[in-house]
Amino acid sequence: MARIKPQALLLQSKKKKGPTRISVTTIVLCNLIIALIALSLVATYRYWSRRSLDHSGSDFSAAEEMDAFSKKDDLPGYAILNTSKGLITVELYKDGSPEVVDRFLDLCQKGHFKGMPFSHVIKHYVIKGGDSQGLGVAEDWISKGKLRSQLVTSPKHEAFMLGTTKNKLENKGFELVITTAPIPDLNDKLIVFGRVIKGEDVVQEIEEVDTDEHYRPKSHVGITGVTLKREI
């Protein structure tokens, strides 16, 4: 058997221990796989983040929305009344009735209107949400309204206006009133601070519910929540 020279053995040893060469194609493929994994992780993170925000906003609360309005100019200009008959969208008169609008927004933040029933429904006149006490007020409004309608030809209040009764406001209360017809003059009873811009059909549907002799709905109808919006 022929003897291998030391120099040949050294060369064979170096060849065995030398690192295996990796092709350029393999390196490119590895980099692409790593990049795809990174992009996939980023996309997954963004998806779940958005879904979490959407989920928290789906059960919308006025308190959460109000926290986002840090400046006076950023106060919401619209309110969506979620009623048992459907949605009523209202434009708020921030400039015309700023104090009343501020009070309304504050009460929305506190959940004051959640579960508020429409205590009086007077067809072709108003629907009123709030305390069901004081049953004579509705009759008083109707008698004065009919009397003034015979004398006044240019009504100041149009249909589908949103307001609150002055007596409750002065006593730290707050009722919601939506007119369903032009009202001759309710300035001594009502402070208008908004108007319905969408959902007039819902107002009319509420107006058609059956009531007793005191204009109280025989079946429950009311507000289940209020959503505040900066823009519509």
mmCIF file of all heavy atoms in Angstrom, residues 76-81 88-102 104-105 126-127 156-165 174-181 183 190-198 200 203:
data_model
loop_
_atom_site.group_PDB
_atom_site.id
_atom_site.type_symbol
_atom_site.label_atom_id
_atom_site.label_comp_id
_atom_site.label_asym_id
_atom_site.label_seq_id
_atom_site.Cartn_x
_atom_site.Cartn_y
_atom_site.Cartn_z
ATOM 1 N N PRO A 76 -68.792 67.925 20.298
ATOM 2 C CA PRO A 76 -69.636 67.325 19.256
ATOM 3 C C PRO A 76 -70.765 68.250 18.836
ATOM 4 O O PRO A 76 -71.362 68.941 19.655
ATOM 5 C CB PRO A 76 -70.171 66.050 19.919
ATOM 6 C CG PRO A 76 -70.016 66.290 21.380
ATOM 7 C CD PRO A 76 -68.816 67.150 21.548
ATOM 8 N N GLY A 77 -71.043 68.266 17.550
ATOM 9 C CA GLY A 77 -72.115 69.104 17.024
ATOM 10 C C GLY A 77 -73.363 68.319 16.693
ATOM 11 O O GLY A 77 -74.369 68.906 16.267
ATOM 12 N N TYR A 78 -73.312 66.993 16.912
ATOM 13 C CA TYR A 78 -74.455 66.154 16.578
ATOM 14 C C TYR A 78 -74.675 65.112 17.668
ATOM 15 O O TYR A 78 -73.738 64.674 18.328
ATOM 16 C CB TYR A 78 -74.235 65.455 15.234
ATOM 17 C CG TYR A 78 -74.021 66.413 14.086
ATOM 18 C CD1 TYR A 78 -72.738 66.865 13.773
ATOM 19 C CD2 TYR A 78 -75.095 66.881 13.332
ATOM 20 C CE1 TYR A 78 -72.531 67.755 12.723
ATOM 21 C CE2 TYR A 78 -74.891 67.770 12.289
ATOM 22 C CZ TYR A 78 -73.613 68.203 11.992
ATOM 23 O OH TYR A 78 -73.410 69.096 10.960
ATOM 24 N N ALA A 79 -75.931 64.743 17.840
ATOM 25 C CA ALA A 79 -76.283 63.684 18.786
ATOM 26 C C ALA A 79 -77.220 62.719 18.084
ATOM 27 O O ALA A 79 -78.135 63.133 17.361
ATOM 28 C CB ALA A 79 -76.955 64.269 20.022
ATOM 29 N N ILE A 80 -76.975 61.431 18.270
ATOM 30 C CA ILE A 80 -77.843 60.402 17.707
ATOM 31 C C ILE A 80 -78.601 59.757 18.865
ATOM 32 O O ILE A 80 -78.002 59.109 19.724
ATOM 33 C CB ILE A 80 -77.034 59.350 16.940
ATOM 34 C CG1 ILE A 80 -76.254 60.016 15.801
ATOM 35 C CG2 ILE A 80 -77.961 58.274 16.382
ATOM 36 C CD1 ILE A 80 -75.335 59.063 15.056
ATOM 37 N N LEU A 81 -79.915 59.977 18.886
ATOM 38 C CA LEU A 81 -80.764 59.394 19.919
ATOM 39 C C LEU A 81 -81.165 57.991 19.463
ATOM 40 O O LEU A 81 -81.850 57.834 18.448
ATOM 41 C CB LEU A 81 -82.008 60.256 20.151
ATOM 42 C CG LEU A 81 -81.789 61.750 20.416
ATOM 43 C CD1 LEU A 81 -83.126 62.446 20.631
ATOM 44 C CD2 LEU A 81 -80.874 61.976 21.605
ATOM 45 N N ILE A 88 -82.575 58.717 15.780
ATOM 46 C CA ILE A 88 -82.925 60.104 15.472
ATOM 47 C C ILE A 88 -81.648 60.924 15.563
ATOM 48 O O ILE A 88 -81.047 61.030 16.638
ATOM 49 C CB ILE A 88 -83.971 60.661 16.460
ATOM 50 C CG1 ILE A 88 -85.240 59.804 16.438
ATOM 51 C CG2 ILE A 88 -84.288 62.117 16.136
ATOM 52 C CD1 ILE A 88 -86.244 60.188 17.532
ATOM 53 N N THR A 89 -81.214 61.506 14.442
ATOM 54 C CA THR A 89 -79.989 62.305 14.416
ATOM 55 C C THR A 89 -80.340 63.775 14.565
ATOM 56 O O THR A 89 -81.187 64.302 13.841
ATOM 57 C CB THR A 89 -79.221 62.094 13.096
ATOM 58 O OG1 THR A 89 -78.933 60.703 12.948
ATOM 59 C CG2 THR A 89 -77.918 62.882 13.098
ATOM 60 N N VAL A 90 -79.660 64.439 15.499
ATOM 61 C CA VAL A 90 -79.965 65.830 15.832
ATOM 62 C C VAL A 90 -78.727 66.696 15.670
ATOM 63 O O VAL A 90 -77.638 66.317 16.101
ATOM 64 C CB VAL A 90 -80.481 65.944 17.289
ATOM 65 C CG1 VAL A 90 -80.746 67.400 17.651
ATOM 66 C CG2 VAL A 90 -81.730 65.111 17.474
ATOM 67 N N GLU A 91 -78.883 67.834 15.030
ATOM 68 C CA GLU A 91 -77.823 68.837 14.967
ATOM 69 C C GLU A 91 -77.975 69.764 16.167
ATOM 70 O O GLU A 91 -79.061 70.295 16.416
ATOM 71 C CB GLU A 91 -77.916 69.645 13.679
ATOM 72 C CG GLU A 91 -76.845 70.736 13.570
ATOM 73 C CD GLU A 91 -77.007 71.617 12.340
ATOM 74 O OE1 GLU A 91 -78.005 71.443 11.608
ATOM 75 O OE2 GLU A 91 -76.133 72.480 12.130
ATOM 76 N N LEU A 92 -76.893 69.954 16.926
ATOM 77 C CA LEU A 92 -76.940 70.769 18.133
ATOM 78 C C LEU A 92 -76.573 72.209 17.812
ATOM 79 O O LEU A 92 -75.641 72.471 17.057
ATOM 80 C CB LEU A 92 -75.985 70.207 19.191
ATOM 81 C CG LEU A 92 -76.227 68.749 19.609
ATOM 82 C CD1 LEU A 92 -75.147 68.288 20.565
ATOM 83 C CD2 LEU A 92 -77.612 68.588 20.233
ATOM 84 N N TYR A 93 -77.293 73.153 18.414
ATOM 85 C CA TYR A 93 -77.021 74.577 18.205
ATOM 86 C C TYR A 93 -75.971 75.045 19.215
ATOM 87 O O TYR A 93 -76.304 75.674 20.227
ATOM 88 C CB TYR A 93 -78.310 75.393 18.353
ATOM 89 C CG TYR A 93 -79.326 75.148 17.253
ATOM 90 C CD1 TYR A 93 -80.663 75.491 17.430
ATOM 91 C CD2 TYR A 93 -78.956 74.558 16.051
ATOM 92 C CE1 TYR A 93 -81.594 75.281 16.418
ATOM 93 C CE2 TYR A 93 -79.877 74.341 15.045
ATOM 94 C CZ TYR A 93 -81.199 74.706 15.232
ATOM 95 O OH TYR A 93 -82.118 74.493 14.229
ATOM 96 N N LYS A 94 -74.714 74.709 18.934
ATOM 97 C CA LYS A 94 -73.633 75.054 19.873
ATOM 98 C C LYS A 94 -73.469 76.561 20.029
ATOM 99 O O LYS A 94 -73.103 77.040 21.104
ATOM 100 C CB LYS A 94 -72.315 74.437 19.410
ATOM 101 C CG LYS A 94 -72.298 72.930 19.427
ATOM 102 C CD LYS A 94 -70.896 72.390 19.218
ATOM 103 C CE LYS A 94 -70.373 72.699 17.838
ATOM 104 N NZ LYS A 94 -69.014 72.135 17.622
ATOM 105 N N ASP A 95 -73.697 77.306 18.959
ATOM 106 C CA ASP A 95 -73.541 78.763 19.015
ATOM 107 C C ASP A 95 -74.814 79.455 19.494
ATOM 108 O O ASP A 95 -74.758 80.430 20.234
ATOM 109 C CB ASP A 95 -73.161 79.299 17.622
ATOM 110 C CG ASP A 95 -71.810 78.771 17.157
ATOM 111 O OD1 ASP A 95 -70.946 78.533 18.025
ATOM 112 O OD2 ASP A 95 -71.622 78.590 15.940
ATOM 113 N N GLY A 96 -75.967 78.933 19.084
ATOM 114 C CA GLY A 96 -77.226 79.577 19.449
ATOM 115 C C GLY A 96 -77.635 79.337 20.886
ATOM 116 O O GLY A 96 -78.207 80.224 21.528
ATOM 117 N N SER A 97 -77.371 78.141 21.418
ATOM 118 C CA SER A 97 -77.744 77.804 22.799
ATOM 119 C C SER A 97 -76.576 77.093 23.487
ATOM 120 O O SER A 97 -76.686 75.921 23.870
ATOM 121 C CB SER A 97 -78.994 76.917 22.813
ATOM 122 O OG SER A 97 -80.068 77.510 22.131
ATOM 123 N N PRO A 98 -75.444 77.784 23.641
ATOM 124 C CA PRO A 98 -74.237 77.112 24.158
ATOM 125 C C PRO A 98 -74.388 76.539 25.559
ATOM 126 O O PRO A 98 -73.898 75.440 25.840
ATOM 127 C CB PRO A 98 -73.179 78.225 24.119
ATOM 128 C CG PRO A 98 -73.949 79.506 24.128
ATOM 129 C CD PRO A 98 -75.217 79.220 23.396
ATOM 130 N N GLU A 99 -75.063 77.263 26.460
ATOM 131 C CA GLU A 99 -75.176 76.785 27.840
ATOM 132 C C GLU A 99 -76.041 75.527 27.918
ATOM 133 O O GLU A 99 -75.718 74.588 28.655
ATOM 134 C CB GLU A 99 -75.759 77.889 28.720
ATOM 135 C CG GLU A 99 -74.838 79.098 28.881
ATOM 136 C CD GLU A 99 -75.420 80.141 29.799
ATOM 137 O OE1 GLU A 99 -76.541 79.925 30.319
ATOM 138 O OE2 GLU A 99 -74.766 81.176 30.000
ATOM 139 N N VAL A 100 -77.137 75.523 27.170
ATOM 140 C CA VAL A 100 -78.021 74.359 27.188
ATOM 141 C C VAL A 100 -77.341 73.159 26.537
ATOM 142 O O VAL A 100 -77.439 72.030 27.023
ATOM 143 C CB VAL A 100 -79.350 74.681 26.467
ATOM 144 C CG1 VAL A 100 -80.278 73.469 26.501
ATOM 145 C CG2 VAL A 100 -80.025 75.874 27.103
ATOM 146 N N VAL A 101 -76.618 73.406 25.438
ATOM 147 C CA VAL A 101 -75.889 72.322 24.773
ATOM 148 C C VAL A 101 -74.823 71.752 25.708
ATOM 149 O O VAL A 101 -74.643 70.531 25.796
ATOM 150 C CB VAL A 101 -75.250 72.808 23.452
ATOM 151 C CG1 VAL A 101 -74.303 71.755 22.888
ATOM 152 C CG2 VAL A 101 -76.331 73.132 22.429
ATOM 153 N N ASP A 102 -74.114 72.615 26.420
ATOM 154 C CA ASP A 102 -73.101 72.143 27.373
ATOM 155 C C ASP A 102 -73.739 71.256 28.446
ATOM 156 O O ASP A 102 -73.189 70.228 28.834
ATOM 157 C CB ASP A 102 -72.395 73.333 28.037
ATOM 158 C CG ASP A 102 -71.403 74.008 27.102
ATOM 159 O OD1 ASP A 102 -71.079 73.415 26.053
ATOM 160 O OD2 ASP A 102 -70.957 75.132 27.413
ATOM 161 N N PHE A 104 -76.536 69.576 28.138
ATOM 162 C CA PHE A 104 -76.969 68.352 27.463
ATOM 163 C C PHE A 104 -75.794 67.382 27.307
ATOM 164 O O PHE A 104 -75.918 66.185 27.593
ATOM 165 C CB PHE A 104 -77.562 68.703 26.102
ATOM 166 C CG PHE A 104 -77.868 67.512 25.228
ATOM 167 C CD1 PHE A 104 -78.969 66.712 25.477
ATOM 168 C CD2 PHE A 104 -77.054 67.208 24.148
ATOM 169 C CE1 PHE A 104 -79.253 65.609 24.665
ATOM 170 C CE2 PHE A 104 -77.321 66.113 23.341
ATOM 171 C CZ PHE A 104 -78.425 65.317 23.599
ATOM 172 N N LEU A 105 -74.646 67.892 26.859
ATOM 173 C CA LEU A 105 -73.460 67.047 26.664
ATOM 174 C C LEU A 105 -72.976 66.463 27.987
ATOM 175 O O LEU A 105 -72.554 65.306 28.058
ATOM 176 C CB LEU A 105 -72.345 67.849 25.991
ATOM 177 C CG LEU A 105 -72.626 68.351 24.570
ATOM 178 C CD1 LEU A 105 -71.459 69.208 24.071
ATOM 179 C CD2 LEU A 105 -72.876 67.200 23.622
ATOM 180 N N VAL A 126 -96.026 67.585 20.091
ATOM 181 C CA VAL A 126 -94.689 67.281 20.604
ATOM 182 C C VAL A 126 -94.631 65.856 21.133
ATOM 183 O O VAL A 126 -95.660 65.247 21.443
ATOM 184 C CB VAL A 126 -94.270 68.243 21.754
ATOM 185 C CG1 VAL A 126 -94.226 69.675 21.284
ATOM 186 C CG2 VAL A 126 -95.195 68.074 22.959
ATOM 187 N N ILE A 127 -93.399 65.325 21.228
ATOM 188 C CA ILE A 127 -93.134 64.146 22.035
ATOM 189 C C ILE A 127 -92.133 64.573 23.103
ATOM 190 O O ILE A 127 -91.186 65.290 22.815
ATOM 191 C CB ILE A 127 -92.600 62.964 21.199
ATOM 192 C CG1 ILE A 127 -91.276 63.329 20.496
ATOM 193 C CG2 ILE A 127 -93.613 62.522 20.174
ATOM 194 C CD1 ILE A 127 -90.643 62.152 19.751
ATOM 195 N N LYS A 156 -92.899 80.531 15.260
ATOM 196 C CA LYS A 156 -91.465 80.660 15.527
ATOM 197 C C LYS A 156 -90.783 79.306 15.597
ATOM 198 O O LYS A 156 -89.584 79.207 15.389
ATOM 199 C CB LYS A 156 -91.248 81.441 16.826
ATOM 200 C CG LYS A 156 -91.706 82.886 16.764
ATOM 201 C CD LYS A 156 -91.404 83.588 18.068
ATOM 202 C CE LYS A 156 -91.842 85.057 18.026
ATOM 203 N NZ LYS A 156 -91.560 85.756 19.289
ATOM 204 N N HIS A 157 -91.544 78.303 15.939
ATOM 205 C CA HIS A 157 -90.967 76.968 16.084
ATOM 206 C C HIS A 157 -91.452 76.078 14.954
ATOM 207 O O HIS A 157 -92.647 75.922 14.745
ATOM 208 C CB HIS A 157 -91.335 76.349 17.433
ATOM 209 C CG HIS A 157 -90.667 77.020 18.594
ATOM 210 N ND1 HIS A 157 -89.427 76.651 19.049
ATOM 211 C CD2 HIS A 157 -91.067 78.037 19.366
ATOM 212 C CE1 HIS A 157 -89.089 77.425 20.074
ATOM 213 N NE2 HIS A 157 -90.069 78.259 20.291
ATOM 214 N N GLU A 158 -90.520 75.477 14.252
ATOM 215 C CA GLU A 158 -90.855 74.563 13.174
ATOM 216 C C GLU A 158 -91.010 73.149 13.729
ATOM 217 O O GLU A 158 -90.757 72.888 14.894
ATOM 218 C CB GLU A 158 -89.749 74.593 12.113
ATOM 219 C CG GLU A 158 -89.516 75.968 11.510
ATOM 220 C CD GLU A 158 -88.330 75.967 10.553
ATOM 221 O OE1 GLU A 158 -87.681 74.906 10.417
ATOM 222 O OE2 GLU A 158 -88.069 77.011 9.962
ATOM 223 N N ALA A 159 -91.422 72.243 12.843
ATOM 224 C CA ALA A 159 -91.497 70.838 13.242
ATOM 225 C C ALA A 159 -90.085 70.254 13.341
ATOM 226 O O ALA A 159 -89.147 70.746 12.716
ATOM 227 C CB ALA A 159 -92.311 70.055 12.215
ATOM 228 N N PHE A 160 -89.965 69.223 14.159
ATOM 229 C CA PHE A 160 -88.718 68.474 14.348
ATOM 230 C C PHE A 160 -87.604 69.325 14.965
ATOM 231 O O PHE A 160 -86.436 69.192 14.618
ATOM 232 C CB PHE A 160 -88.244 67.870 13.021
ATOM 233 C CG PHE A 160 -89.278 67.003 12.361
ATOM 234 C CD1 PHE A 160 -89.871 67.386 11.168
ATOM 235 C CD2 PHE A 160 -89.675 65.813 12.955
ATOM 236 C CE1 PHE A 160 -90.833 66.603 10.565
ATOM 237 C CE2 PHE A 160 -90.640 65.014 12.358
ATOM 238 C CZ PHE A 160 -91.224 65.406 11.159
ATOM 239 N N MET A 161 -87.967 70.202 15.880
ATOM 240 C CA MET A 161 -86.988 70.960 16.660
ATOM 241 C C MET A 161 -86.780 70.254 17.998
ATOM 242 O O MET A 161 -87.720 69.688 18.568
ATOM 243 C CB MET A 161 -87.449 72.396 16.890
ATOM 244 C CG MET A 161 -87.803 73.154 15.619
ATOM 245 S SD MET A 161 -86.458 73.251 14.426
ATOM 246 C CE MET A 161 -85.396 74.439 15.232
ATOM 247 N N LEU A 162 -85.548 70.286 18.494
ATOM 248 C CA LEU A 162 -85.221 69.673 19.782
ATOM 249 C C LEU A 162 -85.071 70.749 20.840
ATOM 250 O O LEU A 162 -84.371 71.740 20.633
ATOM 251 C CB LEU A 162 -83.920 68.878 19.683
ATOM 252 C CG LEU A 162 -83.402 68.250 20.985
ATOM 253 C CD1 LEU A 162 -84.309 67.114 21.436
ATOM 254 C CD2 LEU A 162 -81.967 67.754 20.820
ATOM 255 N N GLY A 163 -85.742 70.571 21.956
ATOM 256 C CA GLY A 163 -85.656 71.559 23.024
ATOM 257 C C GLY A 163 -85.787 70.918 24.388
ATOM 258 O O GLY A 163 -85.898 69.687 24.515
ATOM 259 N N THR A 164 -85.773 71.755 25.404
ATOM 260 C CA THR A 164 -85.983 71.298 26.772
ATOM 261 C C THR A 164 -86.898 72.288 27.475
ATOM 262 O O THR A 164 -86.917 73.474 27.130
ATOM 263 C CB THR A 164 -84.653 71.159 27.533
ATOM 264 O OG1 THR A 164 -84.896 70.578 28.827
ATOM 265 C CG2 THR A 164 -83.961 72.493 27.701
ATOM 266 N N THR A 165 -87.655 71.809 28.434
ATOM 267 C CA THR A 165 -88.593 72.674 29.143
ATOM 268 C C THR A 165 -87.848 73.571 30.126
ATOM 269 O O THR A 165 -86.936 73.130 30.818
ATOM 270 C CB THR A 165 -89.628 71.825 29.906
ATOM 271 O OG1 THR A 165 -88.949 70.823 30.672
ATOM 272 C CG2 THR A 165 -90.564 71.143 28.932
ATOM 273 N N PHE A 174 -83.761 68.077 33.399
ATOM 274 C CA PHE A 174 -83.585 68.210 31.950
ATOM 275 C C PHE A 174 -84.505 67.228 31.251
ATOM 276 O O PHE A 174 -84.377 66.014 31.414
ATOM 277 C CB PHE A 174 -82.133 67.931 31.549
ATOM 278 C CG PHE A 174 -81.739 68.544 30.232
ATOM 279 C CD1 PHE A 174 -80.975 69.709 30.196
ATOM 280 C CD2 PHE A 174 -82.125 67.974 29.028
ATOM 281 C CE1 PHE A 174 -80.600 70.288 28.983
ATOM 282 C CE2 PHE A 174 -81.759 68.532 27.816
ATOM 283 C CZ PHE A 174 -80.996 69.696 27.794
ATOM 284 N N GLU A 175 -85.460 67.754 30.487
ATOM 285 C CA GLU A 175 -86.347 66.945 29.677
ATOM 286 C C GLU A 175 -86.042 67.197 28.201
ATOM 287 O O GLU A 175 -85.560 68.269 27.841
ATOM 288 C CB GLU A 175 -87.811 67.288 29.955
ATOM 289 C CG GLU A 175 -88.259 66.932 31.361
ATOM 290 C CD GLU A 175 -89.692 67.346 31.627
ATOM 291 O OE1 GLU A 175 -90.137 68.371 31.072
ATOM 292 O OE2 GLU A 175 -90.369 66.645 32.405
ATOM 293 N N LEU A 176 -86.319 66.219 27.374
ATOM 294 C CA LEU A 176 -86.144 66.378 25.941
ATOM 295 C C LEU A 176 -87.505 66.494 25.278
ATOM 296 O O LEU A 176 -88.399 65.679 25.542
ATOM 297 C CB LEU A 176 -85.389 65.191 25.347
ATOM 298 C CG LEU A 176 -83.906 65.069 25.706
ATOM 299 C CD1 LEU A 176 -83.300 63.849 25.015
ATOM 300 C CD2 LEU A 176 -83.139 66.310 25.308
ATOM 301 N N VAL A 177 -87.642 67.492 24.423
ATOM 302 C CA VAL A 177 -88.897 67.708 23.710
ATOM 303 C C VAL A 177 -88.592 67.839 22.222
ATOM 304 O O VAL A 177 -87.713 68.600 21.830
ATOM 305 C CB VAL A 177 -89.620 68.980 24.198
ATOM 306 C CG1 VAL A 177 -90.895 69.214 23.390
ATOM 307 C CG2 VAL A 177 -89.938 68.883 25.682
ATOM 308 N N ILE A 178 -89.301 67.076 21.398
ATOM 309 C CA ILE A 178 -89.184 67.183 19.940
ATOM 310 C C ILE A 178 -90.545 67.591 19.387
ATOM 311 O O ILE A 178 -91.545 66.898 19.632
ATOM 312 C CB ILE A 178 -88.735 65.857 19.303
ATOM 313 C CG1 ILE A 178 -87.372 65.433 19.850
ATOM 314 C CG2 ILE A 178 -88.663 65.999 17.777
ATOM 315 C CD1 ILE A 178 -86.889 64.089 19.325
ATOM 316 N N THR A 179 -90.589 68.705 18.700
ATOM 317 C CA THR A 179 -91.845 69.153 18.106
ATOM 318 C C THR A 179 -92.154 68.310 16.874
ATOM 319 O O THR A 179 -91.260 67.933 16.126
ATOM 320 C CB THR A 179 -91.780 70.638 17.719
ATOM 321 O OG1 THR A 179 -90.749 70.816 16.727
ATOM 322 C CG2 THR A 179 -91.433 71.502 18.918
ATOM 323 N N THR A 180 -93.431 68.014 16.685
ATOM 324 C CA THR A 180 -93.837 67.218 15.524
ATOM 325 C C THR A 180 -94.671 68.042 14.542
ATOM 326 O O THR A 180 -95.166 67.505 13.555
ATOM 327 C CB THR A 180 -94.648 65.991 15.974
ATOM 328 O OG1 THR A 180 -95.825 66.434 16.643
ATOM 329 C CG2 THR A 180 -93.824 65.123 16.909
ATOM 330 N N ALA A 181 -94.815 69.328 14.827
ATOM 331 C CA ALA A 181 -95.541 70.244 13.951
ATOM 332 C C ALA A 181 -95.059 71.651 14.268
ATOM 333 O O ALA A 181 -94.466 71.886 15.327
ATOM 334 C CB ALA A 181 -97.052 70.120 14.170
ATOM 335 N N ILE A 183 -94.948 74.963 15.903
ATOM 336 C CA ILE A 183 -95.568 75.437 17.139
ATOM 337 C C ILE A 183 -95.631 76.968 17.099
ATOM 338 O O ILE A 183 -94.599 77.616 16.901
ATOM 339 C CB ILE A 183 -94.758 74.981 18.378
ATOM 340 C CG1 ILE A 183 -94.564 73.463 18.346
ATOM 341 C CG2 ILE A 183 -95.453 75.412 19.655
ATOM 342 C CD1 ILE A 183 -95.840 72.663 18.342
ATOM 343 N N LEU A 190 -90.316 76.553 26.256
ATOM 344 C CA LEU A 190 -89.330 75.676 25.645
ATOM 345 C C LEU A 190 -88.079 76.435 25.219
ATOM 346 O O LEU A 190 -88.159 77.547 24.721
ATOM 347 C CB LEU A 190 -89.963 75.008 24.411
ATOM 348 C CG LEU A 190 -89.249 73.811 23.791
ATOM 349 C CD1 LEU A 190 -89.264 72.631 24.745
ATOM 350 C CD2 LEU A 190 -89.923 73.433 22.472
ATOM 351 N N ILE A 191 -86.916 75.807 25.448
ATOM 352 C CA ILE A 191 -85.640 76.329 24.950
ATOM 353 C C ILE A 191 -85.170 75.387 23.849
ATOM 354 O O ILE A 191 -84.892 74.215 24.095
ATOM 355 C CB ILE A 191 -84.574 76.397 26.051
ATOM 356 C CG1 ILE A 191 -85.029 77.297 27.194
ATOM 357 C CG2 ILE A 191 -83.248 76.903 25.479
ATOM 358 C CD1 ILE A 191 -84.066 77.319 28.371
ATOM 359 N N VAL A 192 -85.118 75.878 22.626
ATOM 360 C CA VAL A 192 -84.697 75.067 21.497
ATOM 361 C C VAL A 192 -83.170 75.071 21.417
ATOM 362 O O VAL A 192 -82.541 76.128 21.447
ATOM 363 C CB VAL A 192 -85.299 75.593 20.181
ATOM 364 C CG1 VAL A 192 -84.719 74.847 18.983
ATOM 365 C CG2 VAL A 192 -86.817 75.464 20.207
ATOM 366 N N PHE A 193 -82.573 73.889 21.316
ATOM 367 C CA PHE A 193 -81.105 73.820 21.221
ATOM 368 C C PHE A 193 -80.641 72.864 20.133
ATOM 369 O O PHE A 193 -79.464 72.511 20.057
ATOM 370 C CB PHE A 193 -80.489 73.426 22.570
ATOM 371 C CG PHE A 193 -80.800 72.040 23.047
ATOM 372 C CD1 PHE A 193 -79.943 70.978 22.788
ATOM 373 C CD2 PHE A 193 -81.965 71.781 23.769
ATOM 374 C CE1 PHE A 193 -80.223 69.699 23.234
ATOM 375 C CE2 PHE A 193 -82.249 70.499 24.211
ATOM 376 C CZ PHE A 193 -81.380 69.466 23.950
ATOM 377 N N GLY A 194 -81.542 72.464 19.232
ATOM 378 C CA GLY A 194 -81.153 71.592 18.135
ATOM 379 C C GLY A 194 -82.324 71.300 17.218
ATOM 380 O O GLY A 194 -83.454 71.719 17.465
ATOM 381 N N ARG A 195 -82.035 70.575 16.150
ATOM 382 C CA ARG A 195 -83.093 70.181 15.209
ATOM 383 C C ARG A 195 -82.792 68.802 14.642
ATOM 384 O O ARG A 195 -81.624 68.409 14.483
ATOM 385 C CB ARG A 195 -83.204 71.191 14.065
ATOM 386 C CG ARG A 195 -82.015 71.227 13.127
ATOM 387 C CD ARG A 195 -82.167 72.317 12.066
ATOM 388 N NE ARG A 195 -81.013 72.344 11.168
ATOM 389 C CZ ARG A 195 -80.939 71.685 10.009
ATOM 390 N NH1 ARG A 195 -81.976 70.973 9.616
ATOM 391 N NH2 ARG A 195 -79.860 71.759 9.255
ATOM 392 N N VAL A 196 -83.837 68.067 14.346
ATOM 393 C CA VAL A 196 -83.709 66.729 13.773
ATOM 394 C C VAL A 196 -83.340 66.855 12.304
ATOM 395 O O VAL A 196 -84.031 67.535 11.540
ATOM 396 C CB VAL A 196 -85.025 65.941 13.926
ATOM 397 C CG1 VAL A 196 -84.906 64.565 13.251
ATOM 398 C CG2 VAL A 196 -85.385 65.776 15.392
ATOM 399 N N ILE A 197 -82.250 66.227 11.896
ATOM 400 C CA ILE A 197 -81.835 66.266 10.491
ATOM 401 C C ILE A 197 -81.967 64.894 9.826
ATOM 402 O O ILE A 197 -81.877 64.789 8.615
ATOM 403 C CB ILE A 197 -80.386 66.781 10.347
ATOM 404 C CG1 ILE A 197 -79.407 65.864 11.093
ATOM 405 C CG2 ILE A 197 -80.267 68.218 10.832
ATOM 406 C CD1 ILE A 197 -77.943 66.198 10.841
ATOM 407 N N LYS A 198 -82.186 63.872 10.639
ATOM 408 C CA LYS A 198 -82.381 62.533 10.094
ATOM 409 C C LYS A 198 -83.163 61.715 11.120
ATOM 410 O O LYS A 198 -82.908 61.795 12.312
ATOM 411 C CB LYS A 198 -81.025 61.868 9.815
ATOM 412 C CG LYS A 198 -81.131 60.547 9.073
ATOM 413 C CD LYS A 198 -79.736 59.996 8.764
ATOM 414 C CE LYS A 198 -79.823 58.682 8.011
ATOM 415 N NZ LYS A 198 -78.478 58.126 7.716
ATOM 416 N N GLU A 200 -86.747 61.668 10.896
ATOM 417 C CA GLU A 200 -88.077 62.258 11.070
ATOM 418 C C GLU A 200 -89.162 61.180 11.070
ATOM 419 O O GLU A 200 -90.172 61.294 11.775
ATOM 420 C CB GLU A 200 -88.368 63.285 9.972
ATOM 421 C CG GLU A 200 -87.505 64.534 10.022
ATOM 422 C CD GLU A 200 -86.233 64.401 9.192
ATOM 423 O OE1 GLU A 200 -85.846 63.247 8.882
ATOM 424 O OE2 GLU A 200 -85.641 65.441 8.842
ATOM 425 N N VAL A 203 -89.489 59.826 14.511
ATOM 426 C CA VAL A 203 -90.266 60.743 15.350
ATOM 427 C C VAL A 203 -91.755 60.557 15.082
ATOM 428 O O VAL A 203 -92.574 60.489 16.015
ATOM 429 C CB VAL A 203 -89.856 62.209 15.083
ATOM 430 C CG1 VAL A 203 -90.744 63.161 15.870
ATOM 431 C CG2 VAL A 203 -88.390 62.435 15.444
#
